[in-house]
Amino acid sequence: QVQMAESGGGSVQPGGRLTLSCAAPRVAYSQKCVGWFRQSPGEEREGVAGISTVGGATYYSDSVKGRFTIFADYGKSMVYLQMNSLRREDTAMYYCASQPYIYCSRDSWSRDVRYEYWGQGTQVTVSS
């Protein structure tokens, strides 16, 4: 069992920045892929970014590429999502998740059904 816990959400103006944190004790020892997902009311859950726990390969959705960065500090058992140039359409509940089966790949990282452990989410609201 891996307890994922997100923090760092909040309200920000368009063009602003936020960094989300995901506490995931011992994630590097038991999990292979960690992802950030988001979901807005009435919308399907969307993969935002993924990182392999070995090798550090990262993947991004087209909607956030160049604006968001996923990175990890496994010594602290933390995975982060730095979000720059935020837009109104980035407003959503953001979740971190992990899975122990396969390392992130271009074809698999964004498939939420593959992820086994999820946090409760942190709300990000972008508005003026």
Side-chain angles (χ1 to χ4, degrees):
Q1 187 78 12
V2 178
Q3 302 287 340
M4 316 287 287
E6 306 90 343
S7 62
S11 296
V12 64
Q13 293 187 340
R17 61 193 302 175
L18 280 175
T19 299
L20 305 183
S21 300
C22 175
R26 299 183 62 80
V27 66
Y29 297 98
S30 63
Q31 306 299 294
K32 288 185 164 61
C33 179
V34 179
W36 281 97
F37 292 80
R38 67 186 181 187
Q39 189 169 23
S40 303
E43 301 289 332
E44 291 188 358
R45 189 160 52 194
E46 172 193 17
V48 175
I51 184 168
S52 283
T53 58
V54 175
T58 57
Y59 302 89
Y60 299 93
S61 67
D62 289 342
S63 61
V64 308
K65 196 172 296 182
R67 300 188 297 123
F68 290 12
T69 302
I70 185 171
F71 61 101
D73 182 344
Y74 295 124
K76 296 181 179 179
S77 293
M78 298 291 293
V79 179
Y80 302 94
L81 184 69
Q82 181 176 325
M83 306 185 295
N84 298 329
S85 302
L86 282 162
R87 304 168 181 170
R88 288 182 176 82
E89 54 264 38
D90 295 318
T91 295
M93 185 72 78
Y94 283 71
Y95 302 89
C96 64
S98 68
Q99 56 92 352
Y101 306 112
I102 60 171
Y103 293 108
C104 297
S105 71
R106 195 170 304 280
D107 294 333
S108 70
W109 75 269
S110 62
R111 298 182 184 180
D112 58 354
V113 294
R114 292 180 175 267
Y115 288 79
E116 186 160 321
Y117 304 107
W118 292 82
Q120 295 298 309
T122 186
Q123 177 68 37
V124 172
T125 302
V126 184
S127 70
S128 53

